[in-house]
C-alpha cells in the first residue's frame, strides 16, 4: 500500500510491494542534458519510380496462340487483363501455375498484350 509524505514543494512516495520497496522523489525538473550521438544511417528505401516494376508486369504475345505462358516473377498471383492485337479487351481462362508464372487459355488463337498487377 503506497504511503505519501508531502514536504512542499517536493513529494516522497514509498511503495512496499512484497519484498520490494520503491522510493520516488519528485522535485523540480533539471536542466536538459547534452544532445546524444547521431545514430547509424538506416537502410536505403526505394524510389516511387521503382514501385510499378515490383507490383506489375506487361507480357507481349506477338505470335498468335490459344495458350499463353507468362513468367512474371512478381512473387504473388496477380490480376490479369488481356487485350488482343486490335486493342480489344478479351477474356481467357487464367491458371496461376505458382506465384511467379501463369497460363492464359483462349477459345481461339490470338496475339496481344497481358497486363498483370
Amino acid at each position: 500500500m503506497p504511503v505519501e509524505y508531502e514536504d512542499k514543494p517536493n513529494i516522497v512516495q514509498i511503495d512496499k510491494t512484497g519484498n520490494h520497496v520503491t522510493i520516488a522523489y519528485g522535485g523540480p525538473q533539471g536542466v536538459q542534458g547534452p544532445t546524444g550521438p547521431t545514430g547509424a544511417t538506416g537502410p536505403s528505401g526505394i524510389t516511387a519510380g521503382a514501385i510499378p516494376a515490383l507490383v506489375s508486369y506487361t507480357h507481349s504475345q506477338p505470335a498468335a496462340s490459344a495458350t499463353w505462358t507468362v513468367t512474371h516473377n512478381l512473387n504473388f498471383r496477380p490480376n490479369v487483363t488481356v487485350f488482343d492485337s486490335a486493342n480489344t479487351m478479351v477474356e481467357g481462362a487464367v491458371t496461376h501455375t505458382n506465384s511467379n508464372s501463369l497460363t492464359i487459355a483462349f477459345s481461339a488463337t490470338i496475339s496481344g498484350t497481358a497486363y498483370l498487377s
Side-chain angles (χ1 to χ4, degrees):
M1 169 161 101
V3 176
E4 284 195 13
Y5 170 79
E6 186 171 340
D7 181 16
K8 294 182 182 176
N10 302 319
I11 297 176
V12 175
Q13 184 179 21
I14 302 170
D15 185 5
K16 181 179 175 189
T17 307
N19 293 330
H20 301 286
V21 176
T22 303
I23 300 174
Y25 174 77
Q29 183 172 341
V31 297
Q32 182 174 341
T35 301
T38 301
T41 302
S44 297
I46 61 171
T47 62
I51 293 173
L54 297 174
V55 297
S56 64
Y57 179 78
T58 301
H59 173 79
S60 295
Q61 183 74 33
S65 177
T67 303
W68 296 4
T69 301
V70 181
T71 302
H72 52 77
N73 294 320
L74 292 172
N75 206 27
F76 66 92
R77 296 171 187 256
N79 294 311
V80 180
T81 304
V82 179
F83 291 88
D84 65 13
S85 56
N87 208 27
T88 302
M89 187 184 299
V90 295
E91 290 188 23
V94 176
T95 303
H96 293 276
T97 311
N98 56 46
S99 59
N100 290 306
S101 63
L102 57 88
T103 59
I104 310 168
F106 302 100
S107 59
T109 59
I110 65 167
S111 61
T113 306
Y115 297 96
L116 286 61
S117 63

